[in-house]
Amino acid sequence: MSPTIRRATPEDAGTLSRLCARTFTETFGHLYDSEDLQAFLDDAYAVEKQRVILSHPGYAVWLLEDAGEAVGHAAAGPCGLPHADVAPGDGELKRLYLVASHQSGGWGGRLFDTAMAWLERDGPRTLWIGVWSENFGAQRFYARRGFEQVGEYLFPVGRARDREFILRRRPGGKGDAASDPGNHAA
């Protein structure tokens, strides 16, 4: 059976919390001391926070499931990035992660396309993404899809502060549909 993508519901809060912690740790856990990492995971991916997001009509989360197990997710909603040009109505791809075993198979691209279609369901609009400055694979992936770096900010993980790039795609900008390059953590 092939993996499937479905929209998550508030009942998926626990699953989403565990998946977020797993994928963030697999992708970035080596960068932080254990205390900072655990503090970030406990706050950012708390079950109740996920339930609030999943219940909010302005946000959407999709789960990639393989044989009944959640192995990836994408989250989208109103843009909250710290950039002077962010305007009401702009959308943001907030997260896009897959467990290591499901990277490089095109599923990151499918999750991305699902989130973009939802963000542009009422027509083209300006879209934003924040991506770690050292995540070169994700930067190439987003550049092929029409996103350009327009700023940066510091992203806190415990006491650590990561340099994050702010990417933007103007309305109607599509890029190509190049193959999935692997991990696309936003």
Side-chain angles (χ1 to χ4, degrees), residues 48-127:
E48 192 50 40
K49 271 193 177 175
Q50 302 316 302
R51 191 176 331 280
V52 168
I53 291 167
L54 292 168
S55 299
H56 193 288
Y59 290 81
V61 178
W62 297 268
L63 295 174
L64 175 65
E65 296 176 319
D66 191 1
E69 178 188 4
V71 295
H73 69 284
C79 185
L81 291 169
H83 192 280
D85 293 342
V86 171
D90 288 358
E92 179 185 350
L93 177 65
K94 297 185 174 287
R95 295 191 307 249
L96 176 57
Y97 289 94
L98 284 81
V99 298
S101 63
H102 284 71
Q103 295 173 10
S104 299
W107 288 103
R110 289 181 185 113
L111 276 170
F112 174 87
D113 291 344
T114 299
M116 292 298 105
W118 182 83
L119 283 166
E120 294 186 314
R121 66 198 179 281
D122 295 325
R125 63 178 171 158
T126 300
L127 300 174

Side-chain angles (χ1 to χ4, degrees), residues 19-28 71 73 97-99:
L19 180 61
C20 288
R22 176 182 175 189
T23 55
F24 188 89
T25 301
E26 279 186 5
T27 307
F28 300 118
V71 295
H73 69 284
Y97 289 94
L98 284 81
V99 298

